[in-house]
Amino acid sequence: MHSSLAVTADGLPLGLAAIKFWTRKKFKGSRALSKKVNATRLPINQKESFCWLENLRESTSLIARPEQCVHIGDRGSDIYELFCTAQTYELFCTAQTHGTHFLIRTCVDRLASDGGHTIAQEMQDTRIKGFHRVMLHDKNDKATHVKLAIKYRRITVLPPIGKKKCYPPLVLTVLQASEIDAPAHRKKLEWKLITDLPVRTRKEAIEKLDWYAMRWKIELFHKILKSGCKAEDSKLRTAQRLTNIIAIFCIISWRIFWMTMLNRTCENCPARTALTPGEIGILQCMIKKKTQADSPASLSECLVQIAKLGGYLARASDPPPGNTVMWRGLARLSDIQMGFNLKTAQ
């Protein structure tokens, strides 16, 4: 399954913009078999990585103003055809008039300018444009401050040698953020990003780094899908049935993720924004009010109460509830609501 998650600049997940399921004719040894094929000579529609282009097209078609959308991907999406698709070259007949944008972590050192050197060589000659500090959490959740040196440069990027006749050169921005004085016990933090958006100042460079950090949201979504919904533990034995149940799990996982982030980004929303009247009524009975005349519970109060059902202690020093306690709380709330409905129906 390959999915695209739409998020706001504040990190609020709006939903799945595109999703692609496929199966292989051969699973065992498929990775070794792919090494015998020259991937640069194959048409993109014959590769599994074609799903990146399909998702870009499908998700862009849902956006009323695609020029305001930025597609963010890891190194698996470092595909020249994707760059061209985003800029509406003739890869799809349904390409948008105004195009869309992308911000990709690159892993391929492509030819640049006149073809006599590569992007890496050109960036090596680029001076440092500024510094930026970020907070990094290790495996033990210990926070450390990391100092990054920022470089950026507008470069003419050439298509792969075997596809020069199919795709034109593109003028793109290459942005590098490298850690200074990295400790010996861990790998140096280094991001190499490529985008069609201009980067003219240090502020704009930091903005792009913050946008790329949003890519981790899709990993959290998959964590909920696997750890919460237990999608990988399904015992269904056909691809179609697996597709159906995973599609339902995707909706459940998004709702959990959405409610978790909604509690952090929108404290004054009414409870009906995310909860049904039945859920609100049950939670209203659980929330302790000082007097009966108090106003109805807000969305934030209801979501905290759901988290409490999942084991959240809600102490003053506790961070906002996470996806795990929200998942457990919603599962318990569903059981409570089922029992209430059965009793009401008698």
Side-chain angles (χ1 to χ4, degrees):
M1 184 188 78
H2 183 77
S3 51
S4 297
L5 183 70
V7 299
T8 66
D10 295 328
L12 181 66
L14 302 177
L16 285 174
I19 191 167
K20 172 71 175 178
F21 291 98
W22 77 93
T23 185
R24 294 172 178 161
K25 294 181 179 179
K26 181 179 179 181
F27 283 88
K28 189 175 181 180
S30 60
R31 186 178 295 273
L33 185 64
S34 65
K35 295 180 180 179
K36 299 180 181 179
V37 180
N38 188 349
T40 61
R41 302 295 178 179
L42 280 177
I44 185 63
N45 57 4
Q46 296 181 17
K47 302 179 185 179
E48 284 191 359
S49 55
F50 188 58
C51 63
W52 285 99
L53 279 69
E54 290 183 301
N55 274 26
L56 184 144
R57 179 183 59 176
E58 293 296 331
S59 56
T60 302
S61 66
L62 297 176
I63 308 299
R65 301 185 65 181
E67 67 274 12
Q68 293 185 344
C69 181
V70 181
H71 297 269
I72 299 173
D74 60 5
R75 285 169 285 200
S77 62
D78 186 10
I79 306 168
Y80 197 86
E81 290 87 343
L82 184 142
F83 305 160
C84 295
T85 304
Q87 296 198 343
T88 69
Y89 285 100
E90 297 177 358
L91 191 59
F92 291 112
C93 60
T94 58
Q96 299 290 330
T97 304
H98 301 290
T100 187
H101 303 289
F102 61 87
L103 178 63
I104 305 297
R105 187 172 182 181
T106 182
C107 63
V108 181
D109 189 15
R110 307 180 190 279
L111 292 175
S113 299
D114 58 357
H117 60 278
T118 64
I119 293 176
Q121 292 170 332
E122 194 160 336
M123 290 303 294
Q124 191 173 3
D125 298 333
T126 304
R127 65 181 181 85
I128 296 175
K129 303 294 181 64
F131 299 93
H132 180 50
R133 288 189 178 273
V134 297
M135 185 174 292
L136 183 68
H137 292 266
D138 59 16
K139 295 180 180 180
N140 299 321
D141 202 29
K142 182 180 178 181
T144 56
H145 287 278
V146 175
K147 186 178 181 181
L148 301 175
I150 298 175
K151 292 181 178 182
Y152 49 87
R153 187 167 185 169
R154 199 75 171 167
I155 297 176
T156 300
V157 181
L158 303 182
I161 294 176
K163 300 179 180 179
K164 283 186 176 180
K165 296 181 180 179
C166 302
Y167 306 105
L170 299 175
V171 179
L172 304 175
T173 302
V174 179
L175 170 62
Q176 290 187 5
S178 303
E179 183 178 359
I180 298 176
D181 300 328
H185 66 274
R186 64 169 174 81
K187 191 176 179 180
K188 177 182 177 181
L189 180 63
E190 186 170 18
W191 283 356
K192 296 179 181 179
L193 308 179
I194 191 166
T195 178
D196 64 318
L197 295 165
V199 177
R200 295 174 289 264
T201 63
R202 173 180 169 273
K203 183 178 179 181
E204 290 183 348
I206 294 173
E207 178 187 51
K208 305 304 182 291
L209 293 176
D210 291 339
W211 286 356
Y212 181 75
M214 292 293 175
R215 195 205 65 81
W216 191 249
K217 300 294 182 182
I218 192 70
E219 304 294 349
L220 295 176
F221 168 77
H222 287 141
K223 180 182 177 181
I224 300 169
L225 186 65
K226 296 177 181 180
S227 301
C229 295
K230 307 291 184 184
E232 293 178 321
D233 296 340
S234 174
K235 302 301 181 183
L236 298 177
R237 305 184 71 173
T238 67
Q240 185 59 52
R241 291 176 180 177
L242 283 170
T243 299
N244 292 341
I245 195 171
I246 292 174
I248 295 173
F249 285 161
C250 283
I251 298 173
I252 298 172
S253 301
W254 164 77
R255 189 189 184 211
I256 294 167
F257 194 15
W258 175 59
M259 291 170 64
T260 301
M261 299 308 300
L262 196 63
N263 185 40
R264 305 180 187 184
T265 59
C266 187
E267 297 181 356
N268 298 321
C269 286
R272 64 178 181 274
T273 303
L275 300 169
T276 65
E279 291 171 334
I280 295 172
I282 293 172
L283 294 170
Q284 189 80 35
C285 296
M286 295 180 179
I287 298 172
K288 295 181 180 178
K289 292 287 187 177
K290 294 180 180 179
T291 65
Q292 293 294 329
D294 285 346
S295 60
S298 64
L299 175 63
S300 180
E301 290 175 317
C302 288
L303 295 182
V304 169
Q305 183 60 44
I306 292 175
K308 286 182 179 180
L309 293 174
Y312 181 63
L313 299 179
R315 296 170 297 193
S317 59
D318 287 339
N323 295 305
T324 302
V325 292
M326 290 298 295
W327 161 258
R328 291 199 298 253
L330 276 172
R332 192 175 176 199
L333 177 61
S334 178
D335 294 337
I336 294 172
Q337 188 173 14
M338 184 183 297
F340 176 80
N341 292 339
L342 288 172
K343 179 63 177 177
T344 305
Q346 289 179 357

